Amino acid sequence: MFGDLFEEDYSSVSNNNGKGKRLKTNALEPPAPREFTNLSGIRNQGGTCYLNSLLQTLHFTPEFREALFSLGPEELGSLEDKDKPDAKVRIIPLQLQRLFAQLLLLDQEAASTADLTDSFGWTSDEEDFLDLTVAVKNVSGLEDALWNMYVEEEVFDYDNLYHCGNCDRLVKAAKSAKLRKLPPFLTISLLRFNFDFVKCERYKETSCYTFPLRINLKPFCEQSELDDLEYMYDLFSVIIHKGGCYGGHYHVYIKDVDHLGNWQFQEDKSKPDVNLEDIQNKEEIDDPLMILKAILLQEESNLIPVDQLGQKLLKKIGISWNKKYRKQYGPLRKFLQVHSQIFLLSSDESTVRLLKDSSLQAESDIQRNDQRLFKTLTSESLTLNDRPSCPHWFDINDSRVQPIKEKDIEQQFQGKESAYMLFYRKSQLRRPPEARANPRYKVPHHLLSEMDAANIELQIKRAECDSTNNTVELHLHLGPHYHFFNGALHPVVSQTESMWDLTFDKRKTLGDLRQSIFQLLEFWEGDMVLSVAKFVPAGLHVCQTLNGDDLALCEIEIADGEDIFVWNGVEVGGIQIPTGSDCEPLLLNVLHVATSGEGEECQQLIESPHVFPSNAEIGTVFTALAIPEGVILINNTESRGEENWTTIPKEDLKKTFREQGLRNGSSVLIQGSNDGNSLLTKQGKWINTVNEINWLQVKNLSQLESEEEQVKISATLNTVVFDIRIKAIKELKLLKELAENSCLRPIDRNGKLLCPVPDRCTLKEAGLKMGSSLGLCPGKAPTSSQLFLFFALGSDVHPGTEMEIIVEETISVRDCLKIMLDKCGLTGETWHLRKMDWCFEAGEPLCEEDAKLKELMICSGDTLLLTEGKLPPLGFLTVPIWWYQPQGPLPHWKDHQDQTNCTLSQGSVWKASSTPGAPSDAHAEVSLWYLGDLEISEDATLGELKSQAMTLPSLEFSIPSPAFLRAWTVESKRPGRLLRGHQQQLKEYKLGKRTEICLEPLQKEENLGPWDVLLRTQMRLPGERAYGPPVDVLWDTARGWTASSLRQRVADVYSLPVEKIEIAKYFPDKFAWLPVSSWNQQTTKRKKKKKQDNLQGAPYYLKDGDTIGVKNFLVEDDDDFSTVRDDIGREKQKELALGKRKSREALRVQCSDVSTGETPARARGPEASLSIHVGSFR
C-alpha cells in the first residue's frame, strides 16, 4: 500500500536527525535528560520515524491516553505473566501504557520503542484506517477538496445517463456524498503520492495545499440542524513528510493541549544573529561576546559543556581564552556569569546555554529545577504563552523536541517538506483543570512507582557517570618525605609512605585542590606549592610549578595519573631544588681509568653511574670525577660497541649534555691527557689489553677448606660459566667431585648471594660484568624449567635473611606454599603468599592458588613472603564489621540490659571520650565496637551484608530488619562515607580489600534518596560551652548545596526563625568550628573574589555525617561555637607540633655533628641500586 515510503532517506533528512550521536546511544552512559521543553522524544530505530510521529500524536491526544491508562490488569493482564502458558496477557496495550508513562514522567531526552515494536511482531499485514482521504492534485486546499467531495453533485445526463434498477431504463440523475456522523477526532490523509500513467512512474505532489487551524464541517454533513459549535474542529497534529516518493523522513507538529511542556519561542536557528563565517575583521574577533554567541548558536539546543566551549573557541580563532581575553575579561566562567542576560550556566557550572533575554533565563531556571521533580509548574497568572491566542505547538522530530509558533505550520503547505496527515479534534472537547501541566494525571499507580524508581536510578547513574568522566587520579608526593641527592628526589623511607593517591574533580580549581590537600595534611606548616613532577631513571624531578588558583584543573591540562609534588617551592631538606625541563637530570654511565687497588702498574676501566643536569656543560664531568683535564668520548647507544664512540672537541666542552644529544643510559668515557696507553684506536674500536678488565673474582663458599679464599679467573664476555666454575675449582685446589654439585652465584655490593647462574650461559647472556664477584656454592644451578626463589616469613625482611628454594616453574601456588611451610616447619592452612615488590615491601597476594608460577610472571630471583591469614575466594571480600553508637536516645528495640553486657569479646574498642565535666559534648564522641569479620561476595547487596552482620555472635541486640541499620565506611577510626542504596551491589561502592564498615542503629527504617544529605545537628546550650544531644537531619540538596537552603532546613527542624539562628560546621581533627554564611570570601595573592555559594566546595567540603552546631540568637548572641574540649584539643595539637619540630631540629644537629666529627663515617657506595630498580620497574 505504502511501498517504501517509510524507509529512511538519510541524504534528505534534516540536520536534526542525521547526527549519529542521536541514533546510537553509548551503552556505558545513561540517556541524556530532557531538554528545556521538558518533553521527551522517541528514538529512531531505523525506519520508525512515521511510527514515532503517530505514537506522539496518540500520546498528545489526552482522551486516548487516559482511556488507555484506565485499562487495568483485569482487562490486560500483567507483563510478569507473559511467559506463563495459561496466562492471557495483551502485551501491545501494556507496552503502549509503559511508553506513554515514560514520555510523561521519565527524565530522558528520548524514549525507546524497542519493547513495543517487539510486541508487534512486525508482520506484513495491512490495516485499514477510518479516516478521510482527500485529493491534493489540482486542489488549492482542504476546504476546496471537501467541497468537491461532499457539496458538488455529479450530474448524469445526455450521453452519460444513469441506469435505474427499479424502472430498468436510463434516466437523468445526480450523485453526491455527505458525512453522516462526525467522530470526536478526525484524521485526514492527503494524497501527496500519485502515479504518472504517461511516464509510468510515481511522483510526489508538492504544490501548495492549505488547511485551516479551525474548520467548520457543517456544509459537508448530512444533518445540519445542530448548533454550529457541534461542527467545529481544531487542528492539533500535522504529520510532515520530507523527501520524495521513494524515501524520506517523517516528523510531526503537535499542539500541547494539556500544557505539559515548557513552550518558549526560540529564534530561527537557520538565521542566527551572528555566524562564525561572518566574523572576518580583527575588531569582531576582539569581541568575545560575539564569538561565544556564534559558537553557541551552532550547537544543538544552544547548549554546550563549558570545557568544550573553550576548546571550540581555540579551534575557531586559533588562540585560547586565557591568552586572548583573560587579562581584560577574567576567567571564562566569570565572563559567562557577568553576562547572565545572554548565557545561562547550570547549577554546577559545567554547561552553558544561550538565552535571548532575562525573562527567558528566569523561566528556564524554573524549568530546570522542575525537571528534577518531573512536574511542570505554571504560574497562576496567565502569560503570553498561556493565552488562548498562543497555543503551545512543538516540532517532535524523533528524539528532538523544539517549540514552534503557530504560523510555522504555514511553511508545510507545499514543497518537498509538506503536510502528509492532519488530525483535528472537536472544539467542544474541554480538559479538566487538574490535568493542566500535570503529567501524573490519571497515570496508574504502578506506573507512577515504576517511573519514580527509574528516575532515581537514572539520577544515580548520571551522577556516577559525571563523577567518572570528570575526576582524575593524582599522585601526591609530599616534600617532607623526600630528600635530594644524586641529582634527583628520592623517598626517605619508601615510595608507598611518600606518595598519596587523591581522586579529585577536574572541574574544580587549583585553589580547591590546594585547600583539599591542606585539610588532608594536618601536619603541614607554612606555604604550600604544587608542582607537576615526573619519574626519570635518576629519581623524581620537579618540572613545572602550578599557578592560577582560580583556574580549573582541566584548563591547566592536569592529566589523569599526574604526579604532583607538594612542597614549599624553594627547598627540600634544606637543599634548593632545581626545577624545569631544562635541568632534567640525566643518568649517565661514566667510564674512567683508575689505578688498581693492589698498587700494580696496570690500569683498570671503572664504570659507575652519575647524574648530571641536562643544561650543565659537558666539561663538568671532570669536576665530578676530580680529574684535572683529559679527553671526553661519548656513546649514545644503549650498549657499548664498535665504532660508536665520538670524541668531543675541546671547543665543544662548553655545550650542554642536551645539546650533545646525550640521554638517559648514554655512556661517557673519560681519558686522561697523560695516559700512555690509549683505550681506543683511531678507528674507535676497543682494544683487549691488560689495561681492560678481563677477569672475574670467585670466592670459595663451598664450606670446604682451600689454600686461598678467592681467585681471579681470566675471561671474556663470551666465556661459558661452566668453564669459569671448573677453572675456579682447580685454582682453589678443591675436590674434583665438587664439579658435579656446585654452582656460581653473583655477590652484590651488600654481600648477598643472588640467584645461581646456569652453566650453559655465557657471561654476556647471564648479564655479568667484568670484575664482578662470584661465589662458588654447593648445590646445582636451576635448569631452564626451574625457578630459584627467595622466601621469608612475615613482612619485615632484612637482606640476607631469606631462605632459598628451587621449584619447577609449572608448580602451582598452593604446592609452592606447602613446600615453603614444610621447610619452615609450619603447618595449617591459614597462610598465603605475597610477592615482594621493587620497593622491598609486601605486594599484592597471590590469590589464584591453582595458577602456575609461570602464569603469574614469577621469575628466578624473586622473593615471596609467607603471610599469615587465609585469603577469601575470588570475588569475595573479608570485611571487618564495627558497631557505631553515637550519643543520644537508643532505639526502642534495643535490649534493656546493662551496658557492660554489650562489651564485645571479638576485639578492641575505639573510643574518643569527652572531657570530664563538659556537659553533653557529643560532637566529639565516637565509639566503635568490633563485631567480627564477614566473608561476603562482591556481588552481594548492602542489605545482604547487613543481614549477615546481624547474625554475628558478638551482636547482642535484637534488630527488626536490615533497614534499621545505617552503614558507613570506617576512615581514621571514624565513620567516613555513607553507603546508601539497600539493593546496590558491594562492588559498585568500590570498597577495596582493606575497607572496614561500621553499622549504626536507627529508630525507624531509612531510605535515602540520591539528593539527601545526612547531617548531625546539635543545639548549643545557652550560657554553657556545650551542646545538646545530636539530631539527625535529612537535607534535600536537589535545588543546590547553598548555605541559605541549609539554614532554612535547620531552622525548620528547630522551629526557629531563620534570621535568628547561626550554624557552623565542626572539624573534629582540628577542634575547630567554621560558621556557615550565605557566601564565603576567598583571598588569593592577587585579588579577592566572591566564589559560588556551594557548601560542597572549599572551605566547608560538606558531606554525610558532618556535625552542624546551631546557635539560637533569641537566647544567646555571642559568636563563639567552641567548647572546653576544643580548647584542650588545640593545646595538645600545638604541643605535639612543637615536639615534632624540636625532634627534627635535634636530628638535624645530630646529623651535622656526625658529618663533622673526627671519625669519618663509613662512605656510602654509589646509589646505583635505586637507579637500577627504578629503571627495571618502569
Side-chain angles (χ1 to χ4, degrees):
M1 176 178 177
F2 297 104
D4 54 1
L5 283 177
F6 305 145
E7 295 296 326
E8 297 283 353
D9 179 11
Y10 293 106
S11 62
S12 61
V13 174
S14 63
N15 292 334
N16 300 334
N17 269 300
K19 296 185 178 182
K21 67 178 182 180
R22 293 290 178 184
L23 300 176
K24 186 175 182 181
T25 303
N26 190 344
L28 299 178
E29 295 185 0
R34 300 189 181 203
E35 296 186 351
F36 69 96
T37 60
N38 199 30
L39 296 179
S40 176
I42 301 178
R43 284 191 289 275
N44 194 326
Q45 297 187 57
T48 61
C49 55
Y50 182 71
L51 173 66
N52 294 349
S53 301
L54 286 177
L55 289 174
Q56 290 283 16
T57 300
L58 295 176
H59 168 244
F60 280 94
T61 306
E63 292 80 5
F64 175 84
R65 182 180 69 233
E66 292 164 7
L68 179 66
F69 282 149
S70 66
L71 301 177
E74 298 80 9
E75 296 90 349
L76 305 179
S78 176
L79 287 174
E80 289 76 9
D81 302 332
K82 65 179 181 179
D83 296 326
K84 296 181 180 179
D86 299 331
K88 295 182 179 179
V89 182
R90 304 187 67 179
I91 300 179
I92 294 179
L94 285 172
Q95 292 291 2
L96 195 58
Q97 281 184 342
R98 292 187 73 251
L99 176 64
F100 282 4
Q102 292 174 2
L103 293 174
L104 285 171
L105 300 171
L106 196 58
D107 184 23
Q108 59 180 1
E109 182 184 40
S112 172
T113 56
D115 294 335
L116 178 63
T117 54
D118 288 344
S119 66
F120 290 166
W122 286 113
T123 61
S124 59
D125 299 335
E126 297 181 357
E127 299 182 16
D128 294 329
F129 293 86
L130 299 178
D131 57 6
L132 294 180
T133 303
V134 296
V136 175
K137 184 179 180 180
N138 299 326
V139 180
S140 62
L142 176 62
E143 293 171 310
D144 189 16
L146 293 176
W147 190 271
N148 294 339
M149 295 173 60
Y150 301 111
V151 176
E152 292 187 354
E153 296 181 343
E154 181 181 358
V155 178
F156 298 90
D157 57 2
Y158 301 110
D159 296 335
N160 186 27
L161 296 174
Y162 176 75
H163 181 268
C164 178
N166 295 331
C167 56
D168 194 22
R169 65 188 181 90
L170 296 175
V171 298
K172 292 183 178 181
K175 183 179 74 171
S176 63
K178 291 289 184 179
L179 299 175
R180 175 165 295 178
K181 184 179 180 181
L182 294 178
F185 302 95
L186 181 63
T187 304
I188 300 176
S189 298
L190 308 184
L191 294 179
R192 287 281 185 186
F193 305 100
N194 289 323
F195 189 83
D196 190 335
F197 290 95
V198 177
K199 298 181 179 179
C200 292
E201 64 181 14
R202 298 165 62 190
Y203 70 96
K204 178 180 178 180
E205 189 67 52
T206 60
S207 59
C208 182
Y209 189 90
T210 63
F211 47 88
L213 296 175
R214 171 170 287 189
I215 188 170
N216 188 348
L217 296 181
K218 185 174 183 178
F220 317 118
C221 294
E222 184 178 16
Q223 300 178 356
S224 58
E225 64 275 6
L226 300 177
D227 185 61
D228 285 353
L229 293 178
E230 295 290 337
Y231 303 98
M232 300 299 294
Y233 281 80
D234 291 328
L235 183 70
F236 77 97
S237 176
V238 181
I239 293 182
I240 301 162
H241 179 264
K242 180 180 180 180
C245 61
Y246 294 104
H249 178 70
Y250 290 90
H251 61 108
V252 61
Y253 284 179
I254 287 183
K255 181 180 179 181
D256 183 10
V257 178
D258 280 345
H259 288 203
L260 300 177
N262 180 28
W263 188 81
Q264 298 182 147
F265 174 67
Q266 302 259 311
E267 293 292 340
D268 188 2
K269 295 178 183 177
S270 62
K271 298 178 181 180
D273 296 340
V274 183
N275 197 303
L276 286 177
E277 286 75 7
D278 298 335
I279 302 176
Q280 299 293 339
N281 57 58
K282 183 177 183 301
E283 293 182 358
E284 292 175 324
I285 294 180
D286 287 340
D287 183 5
L289 192 63
M290 184 177 296
I291 297 287
L292 295 179
K293 280 187 62 178
I295 293 175
L296 283 169
L297 283 170
Q298 291 189 346
E299 292 298 316
E300 188 171 348
S301 303
N302 296 348
L303 178 70
I304 187 175
V306 177
D307 297 342
Q308 294 185 17
L309 180 62
Q311 296 171 4
K312 288 183 177 292
L313 176 71
L314 173 63
K315 183 178 179 181
K316 294 298 182 183
I317 67 175
I319 188 171
S320 67
W321 174 273
N322 290 337
K323 293 183 179 180
K324 179 69 176 177
Y325 304 112
R326 180 182 175 83
K327 185 175 182 180
Q328 181 178 358
Y329 298 102
L332 177 57
R333 282 184 172 85
K334 179 181 178 181
F335 182 83
L336 298 175
Q337 291 174 346
V338 170
H339 295 83
S340 58
Q341 75 280 8
I342 299 176
F343 306 107
L344 173 63
L345 279 170
S346 60
S347 59
D348 58 357
E349 296 188 356
S350 60
T351 59
V352 61
R353 188 194 306 278
L354 182 65
L355 296 180
K356 290 301 176 183
D357 51 46
S358 56
S359 64
L360 291 182
Q361 178 185 0
E363 189 173 352
S364 180
D365 287 339
I366 296 173
Q367 186 60 35
R368 181 180 303 279
N369 294 330
D370 291 344
Q371 288 180 10
R372 294 177 179 171
L373 303 175
F374 309 109
K375 293 181 179 180
T376 306
L377 303 178
T378 56
S379 175
E380 294 182 0
S381 61
L382 289 178
T383 63
L384 176 65
N385 295 342
D386 296 323
R387 292 200 297 267
S389 59
C390 286
H392 293 192
W393 281 87
F394 293 91
D395 176 12
I396 304 181
N397 196 335
D398 286 339
S399 300
R400 188 183 182 194
V401 182
Q402 289 292 321
I404 61 171
K405 284 188 174 182
E406 205 170 48
K407 65 180 182 180
D408 295 334
I409 301 176
E410 299 176 2
Q411 300 176 5
Q412 310 304 327
F413 286 169
Q414 61 185 349
K416 288 189 175 182
E417 183 175 7
S418 51
Y420 176 72
M421 290 189 70
L422 308 177
F423 295 84
Y424 287 86
R425 55 182 288 126
K426 272 196 171 183
S427 303
Q428 287 187 331
L429 292 176
R430 292 290 183 267
R431 300 291 297 144
E434 56 269 21
R436 186 179 180 87
N438 182 11
R440 305 175 73 90
Y441 181 68
K442 287 194 176 182
V443 179
H445 178 72
H446 71 280
L447 289 177
L448 289 175
S449 302
E450 180 182 349
M451 295 302 109
D452 291 341
N455 280 323
I456 294 176
E457 183 179 358
L458 278 175
Q459 290 177 352
I460 295 175
K461 288 183 177 180
R462 286 174 185 145
E464 292 176 350
C465 181
D466 181 73
S467 176
T468 301
N469 295 336
N470 292 287
T471 56
V472 291
E473 188 80 16
L474 303 178
H475 305 305
L476 304 180
H477 302 268
L478 310 181
H481 294 176
Y482 277 79
H483 58 154
F484 184 83
F485 71 94
N486 205 15
L489 293 164
H490 299 270
V492 175
V493 182
S494 67
Q495 190 68 48
T496 303
E497 296 185 11
S498 304
M499 183 178 71
W500 290 16
D501 290 335
L502 174 65
T503 302
F504 201 75
D505 192 336
K506 65 181 180 182
R507 296 169 297 184
K508 292 186 177 181
T509 64
L510 180 62
D512 295 334
L513 175 62
R514 193 189 315 275
Q515 186 68 28
S516 298
I517 298 176
F518 259 123
Q519 294 185 358
L520 287 174
L521 308 180
E522 300 176 0
F523 61 85
W524 194 273
E525 298 177 0
D527 294 335
M528 176 184 288
V529 175
L530 305 181
S531 301
V532 177
K534 76 172 183 177
F535 281 104
V536 294
L540 187 69
H541 177 64
V542 178
C543 300
Q544 175 189 359
T545 299
L546 300 177
N547 296 313
D549 280 5
D550 52 353
L551 293 179
L553 297 190
C554 54
E555 293 178 327
I556 57 179
E557 299 179 350
I558 296 296
D560 189 26
E562 195 84 79
D563 292 290
I564 303 296
F565 191 65
V566 184
W567 61 315
N568 59 13
V570 179
E571 50 85 22
V572 173
I575 300 177
Q576 189 170 354
I577 305 300
T579 62
S581 58
D582 293 340
C583 59
E584 179 180 317
L586 295 178
L587 182 63
L588 306 177
N589 297 319
V590 180
L591 300 95
H592 62 95
V593 177
T595 306
S596 64
E598 300 178 359
E600 300 176 0
E601 294 182 357
C602 63
Q603 292 180 325
Q604 299 177 2
L605 192 64
I606 303 300
E607 180 178 1
S608 60
H610 285 268
V611 177
F612 299 94
S614 301
N615 58 355
E617 297 178 357
I618 291 186
T620 57
V621 176
F622 295 123
T623 305
L625 298 178
I627 297 176
E629 58 181 358
V631 179
I632 298 180
L633 301 97
I634 61 174
N635 182 4
N636 282 325
T637 58
E638 295 182 358
S639 60
R640 193 170 60 240
E642 295 185 353
E643 299 181 354
N644 291 323
W645 290 93
T646 304
T647 303
I648 302 297
K650 191 172 183 179
E651 59 271 14
D652 290 345
L653 293 180
K654 294 292 184 179
K655 291 185 177 180
T656 64
F657 289 93
R658 188 180 298 278
E659 290 173 344
Q660 288 293 343
L662 290 173
R663 58 183 182 274
N664 286 299
S666 298
S667 298
V668 177
L669 176 63
I670 308 301
Q671 182 173 325
S673 58
N674 297 325
D675 290 347
N677 297 323
S678 177
L679 296 173
L680 299 174
T681 63
K682 293 181 179 180
Q683 290 79 16
K685 299 183 179 179
W686 288 99
I687 299 177
N688 291 321
T689 67
V690 293
N691 293 333
E692 183 183 358
I693 300 178
N694 56 357
W695 49 264
L696 295 173
Q697 186 171 271
V698 180
K699 294 183 179 181
N700 178 19
L701 303 177
S702 63
Q703 300 177 355
L704 298 177
E705 294 184 0
S706 60
E707 295 182 0
E708 298 182 6
E709 293 185 359
Q710 59 187 22
V711 293
K712 285 185 178 180
I713 306 297
S714 299
T716 65
L717 290 176
N718 295 322
T719 304
V720 180
V721 173
F722 175 79
D723 296 337
I724 298 175
R725 185 167 64 87
I726 298 300
K727 192 173 182 180
I729 293 175
K730 290 180 180 180
E731 294 194 12
L732 290 171
K733 298 180 181 180
L734 298 173
L735 298 176
K736 295 183 179 179
E737 290 78 5
L738 196 61
E740 301 295 330
N741 189 29
S742 64
C743 61
L744 291 178
R745 298 177 61 177
I747 304 174
D748 67 5
R749 63 176 185 165
N750 296 319
K752 178 183 175 181
L753 287 172
L754 304 181
C755 179
V757 182
D759 283 346
R760 67 183 182 281
C761 296
T762 64
L763 296 183
K764 184 177 181 180
E765 293 171 345
L768 294 175
K769 294 182 179 181
M770 290 299 176
S772 301
S773 296
L774 301 175
L776 182 64
C777 304
K780 293 184 178 181
T783 64
S784 59
S785 62
Q786 292 178 327
L787 299 176
F788 182 91
L789 302 176
F790 298 99
F791 71 97
L793 188 63
S795 58
D796 189 12
V797 181
H798 298 283
T801 62
E802 305 96 333
M803 291 175 278
E804 303 164 355
I805 190 175
I806 295 179
V807 295
E808 295 292 330
E809 63 181 3
T810 56
I811 193 174
S812 66
V813 175
R814 180 182 287 104
D815 294 338
C816 182
L817 174 62
K818 185 176 180 182
I819 294 173
M820 292 179 177
L821 289 174
D822 292 341
K823 196 165 183 178
C824 294
L826 299 174
T827 58
E829 298 185 356
T830 59
W831 296 87
H832 65 274
L833 289 177
R834 292 176 180 265
K835 181 180 177 182
M836 182 180 287
D837 60 18
W838 69 285
C839 294
F840 299 99
E841 297 178 350
E844 290 296 323
L846 305 182
C847 299
E848 303 178 29
E849 294 185 343
D850 295 327
K852 300 177 182 178
L853 297 183
K854 182 179 180 180
E855 296 172 350
L856 298 179
M857 307 299 291
I858 303 297
C859 305
S860 287
D862 287 346
T863 301
L864 301 182
L865 301 178
L866 281 169
T867 308
E868 191 170 7
K870 187 173 179 61
L871 291 175
L874 286 177
F876 281 76
L877 296 172
T878 299
V879 183
I881 302 297
W882 296 79
W883 182 261
Y884 171 47
Q885 179 66 65
Q887 283 193 356
L890 294 176
H892 65 274
W893 43 262
K894 181 184 184 299
D895 289 346
H896 297 283
Q897 55 184 339
D898 190 82
Q899 184 64 33
T900 57
N901 296 332
C902 296
T903 303
L904 303 177
S905 59
Q906 286 287 337
S908 60
V909 178
W910 286 343
K911 186 172 182 181
S913 60
S914 48
T915 304
S920 189
D921 196 7
H923 64 263
E925 184 75 16
V926 176
S927 299
L928 297 177
W929 287 269
Y930 176 64
L931 298 180
D933 292 347
L934 283 184
E935 186 174 294
I936 190 169
S937 171
E938 293 179 339
D939 296 326
T941 63
L942 181 62
E944 292 170 344
L945 181 140
K946 294 178 182 178
S947 299
Q948 292 191 29
M950 292 166 56
T951 63
L952 290 174
S954 302
L955 184 60
E956 300 181 3
F957 296 96
S958 176
I959 303 173
S961 71
F964 284 83
L965 292 176
R966 182 186 293 155
W968 304 79
T969 61
V970 178
E971 301 173 4
S972 301
K973 300 182 182 181
R974 291 178 177 272
R977 177 163 59 106
L978 178 62
L979 304 180
R980 60 185 74 212
H982 196 67
Q983 299 300 323
Q984 192 167 348
Q985 292 181 326
L986 297 181
K987 62 183 178 182
E988 297 176 3
Y989 294 107
K990 301 178 182 179
L991 296 177
K993 295 183 178 179
R994 297 184 179 181
T995 301
E996 302 181 11
I997 291 178
C998 64
L999 301 177
E1000 176 187 354
L1002 300 175
Q1003 295 280 358
K1004 58 182 180 180
E1005 295 185 6
E1006 182 177 73
N1007 185 18
L1008 298 178
W1011 300 102
D1012 292 333
V1013 177
L1014 176 66
L1015 302 174
R1016 302 192 191 278
T1017 62
Q1018 293 180 260
M1019 176 63 71
R1020 187 172 177 89
L1021 301 178
E1024 303 179 20
R1025 296 186 65 193
Y1027 289 85
V1031 177
D1032 287 352
V1033 173
L1034 286 182
W1035 175 35
D1036 184 6
T1037 61
R1039 296 182 181 272
W1041 289 67
T1042 62
S1044 58
S1045 174
L1046 177 59
R1047 289 169 59 86
Q1048 185 63 56
R1049 175 60 180 147
V1050 174
D1052 294 342
V1053 170
Y1054 288 97
S1055 301
L1056 293 172
V1058 67
E1059 66 274 6
K1060 295 299 181 181
I1061 67 168
E1062 186 65 32
I1063 59 177
K1065 179 191 170 180
Y1066 183 62
F1067 292 90
D1069 296 337
K1070 298 181 179 180
F1071 300 95
W1073 295 86
L1074 181 61
V1076 179
S1077 56
S1078 59
W1079 60 273
N1080 57 291
Q1081 195 84 6
Q1082 297 270 327
T1083 304
T1084 64
K1085 293 182 179 179
R1086 293 180 297 174
K1087 58 183 178 179
K1088 294 182 177 181
K1089 79 171 193 175
K1090 187 176 178 179
K1091 299 201 68 173
Q1092 182 190 10
D1093 185 11
N1094 189 341
L1095 300 183
Q1096 273 186 303
Y1100 300 103
Y1101 299 99
L1102 204 63
K1103 62 183 184 302
D1104 290 307
D1106 280 350
T1107 298
I1108 301 296
V1110 185
K1111 184 174 293 188
N1112 184 0
F1113 281 163
L1114 296 175
V1115 296
E1116 188 177 16
D1117 58 356
D1118 67 301
D1119 298 331
D1120 183 26
F1121 277 89
S1122 64
T1123 64
V1124 175
R1125 184 183 182 278
D1126 296 333
D1127 297 340
I1128 297 175
R1130 284 193 294 267
E1131 288 298 326
K1132 288 184 178 179
Q1133 284 187 339
K1134 290 180 181 179
E1135 294 175 1
L1136 182 61
L1138 181 60
K1140 289 182 178 179
R1141 189 181 301 110
K1142 291 181 178 180
S1143 299
R1144 287 196 297 266
E1145 292 176 356
L1147 181 61
R1148 188 179 299 113
V1149 171
Q1150 182 181 359
C1151 295
S1152 176
D1153 293 342
V1154 171
S1155 62
T1156 59
E1158 295 181 359
T1159 304
R1162 182 179 178 181
R1164 297 182 60 182
E1167 297 291 339
S1169 59
L1170 178 62
S1171 301
I1172 292 172
H1173 279 298
V1174 173
S1176 173
F1177 174 70
R1178 289 172 65 85

